Amino acid sequence: MDASNGSQDTEQTLDSQVKAFFDSAPPLQNRNDIIQKLNHFIQLNSLSSENGIGKRIVCVTSGGTTAPLEQRCVRYVDNFSSGHRGATSTEYFLKAGYAVIFLYRRGSFQPFCRSLPDDPLLECFEATEGLNIQVREAYSKAVKTAIVDHHAAVDSGLLLKLPFSTIFEYLQMLQIISKPMKDIGPRAMFYLAAAVSDFYVPWKDMVEHKIQSGSHILDVKLVPVPKMLSVLRKDWAPLAFCISFKLETDSNILLNKARGALEKYNMHAVVANELSTRKEQVVVVTIDDKITVQRDKSKADDDVENPLIKLLSQRHSAYIEDPKRMR
Ligand code: PAZ
């Protein structure tokens, strides 16, 4: 078999894996509602801008996907991701003038709510003597900012929030989002910060009912999730500016893995981060650069996402001017 046949075979295998994934995935319950909201959002932001050519629109993915072990799911495989990166980045993208589709894991961190405590309802509010509810003094600034900024972004049509839990929901939603994003060409960006399951149990192989605890070993076969980044770049939204993330715990392999992902999935940039330092520093790996981006430690409330989004927004502008220059 010659090399070209080999790559054709790999593509066919990927295509058939992707088809099998979507054919067997449980259909999204609110598919039509999501499509309607998306079309409205993209139409609105395609018309509105100072220069008359429409806003830049970014899809930020955030938090971890679950891989269910039972169809009537009691147990699932999960990961560590808190959604902090995605929520924080969303705020900076809005500041940079983007409209943001925030595709997030239910229950994970939300934009504008990062400085609130874990249980905001119970910790930020108190009942007065007349049984009215008021904000506790210590949280009054954080609550006000969260409510005002969040509502301003949503009400002005600049922030669309779409929740997922499972890998099935996430990938179907990413595919749905790609369709209208494809129509806006290079003005679209995908910023894929979600920690997506690498392995899953295909729906058709999954037991329906709760796995019983009687046996001594849990024998469940998980198979690799098809590499949708390739499909996103090649078919779903080929002109969109695509940023993926690479997380490792071993700093010795991080940059090589990021470079590998850049080439394998034809990304415009891969943001490399290490688990323990991910809030302090990341490295943006592109075809001809490795740029270290750090949080400004002299400012207590600075985030690494602040310089990161500035850099990516500049790169995106250059890409819009000349998409061929950055492949
Ligand atoms: O969600 P979080 O703020 O706790 O962590 C962010 C992150 C490490 C999940 C993200 O920066 C990332 O690297 N996402 C991709 C992970 C991966 O699949 O390699």
Side-chain angles (χ1 to χ4, degrees), residues 4 74 81 97 101 107 139 142 148 156 163 166 178 184 186 221 234 295 318:
S4 64
V74 174
S81 173
I101 300 162
Y139 292 112
V148 170
S156 57
T166 68
S178 311
I184 63 163
K221 195 169 131 210
K234 198 163 61 70
R295 183 175 82 79

Side-chain angles (χ1 to χ4, degrees), residues 63 80-86 192-196 245-247 273 278:
F80 72 97
S81 173
S82 64
H84 192 275
R85 171 87 71 224
L192 303 160
V196 180
F245 280 71
K246 176 52 79 184
L247 172 87
N273 55 169
R278 68 189 193 278

Side-chain angles (χ1 to χ4, degrees), residues 173-183 190 232 236-237:
M173 290 168 85
L174 192 61
Q175 188 189 37
I176 291 175
I177 292 168
S178 311
K179 286 210 170 97
M181 288 286 264
K182 186 177 184 176
D183 297 339
F190 284 88
L232 172 69
W236 293 355

Side-chain angles (χ1 to χ4, degrees), residues 60-66 78-90 102-110 162-167 170 191-197 245 278:
V60 174
T61 71
S62 185
T65 59
T66 64
D78 202 354
N79 65 60
F80 72 97
S81 173
S82 64
H84 192 275
R85 171 87 71 224
T88 315
S89 304
T90 293
F102 181 59
L103 180 60
Y104 70 96
R105 164 75 179 275
R106 273 186 197 88
S108 64
F109 271 111
Q110 294 296 298
L162 299 172
F164 66 82
S165 296
T166 68
I167 180 71
Y170 173 81
Y191 178 88
L192 303 160
V196 180
S197 319
F245 280 71
R278 68 189 193 278

Side-chain angles (χ1 to χ4, degrees), residues 113-279:
C113 298
R114 290 177 293 128
S115 37
L116 299 179
D118 281 352
D119 197 338
L121 189 63
L122 296 179
E123 292 182 55
C124 295
F125 298 94
E126 61 191 357
T128 61
E129 275 181 17
L131 283 184
N132 287 321
I133 300 295
Q134 70 181 17
V135 184
R136 287 203 161 111
E137 182 59 36
Y139 292 112
S140 76
K141 188 162 172 253
V143 168
K144 195 169 163 187
T145 312
I147 294 174
V148 170
D149 292 353
H150 177 267
H151 287 307
V154 173
D155 296 348
S156 57
L158 291 172
L159 175 60
L160 176 65
K161 304 207 304 181
L162 299 172
F164 66 82
S165 296
T166 68
I167 180 71
F168 300 110
E169 289 172 331
Y170 173 81
L171 288 176
Q172 289 183 81
M173 290 168 85
L174 192 61
Q175 188 189 37
I176 291 175
I177 292 168
S178 311
K179 286 210 170 97
M181 288 286 264
K182 186 177 184 176
D183 297 339
I184 63 163
R187 278 190 295 117
M189 188 201 286
F190 284 88
Y191 178 88
L192 303 160
V196 180
S197 319
D198 285 323
F199 295 94
Y200 79 118
V201 183
W203 191 255
K204 61 178 176 33
D205 301 337
M206 209 183 280
V207 293
E208 180 185 353
H209 291 286
K210 184 186 164 203
I211 296 168
Q212 295 300 304
S213 57
S215 60
H216 295 297
I217 51 162
L218 177 60
D219 188 12
V220 185
K221 195 169 131 210
L222 286 92
V223 302
V225 172
K227 299 296 180 198
M228 300 290 179
L229 287 186
S230 305
V231 190
L232 172 69
R233 273 294 282 133
K234 198 163 61 70
D235 301 328
W236 293 355
L239 281 179
F241 192 62
C242 278
I243 313 296
S244 69
F245 280 71
K246 176 52 79 184
L247 172 87
E248 291 296 339
T249 51
D250 179 354
S251 55
N252 295 317
I253 62 169
L254 177 61
L255 292 182
N256 281 343
K257 297 283 276 193
R259 177 82 199 187
L262 183 83
E263 286 167 9
K264 189 167 174 194
Y265 306 122
N266 200 18
M267 291 287 114
H268 295 100
V270 175
V271 181
N273 55 169
E274 205 210 306
L275 185 66
S276 58
T277 56
R278 68 189 193 278
K279 289 191 182 168

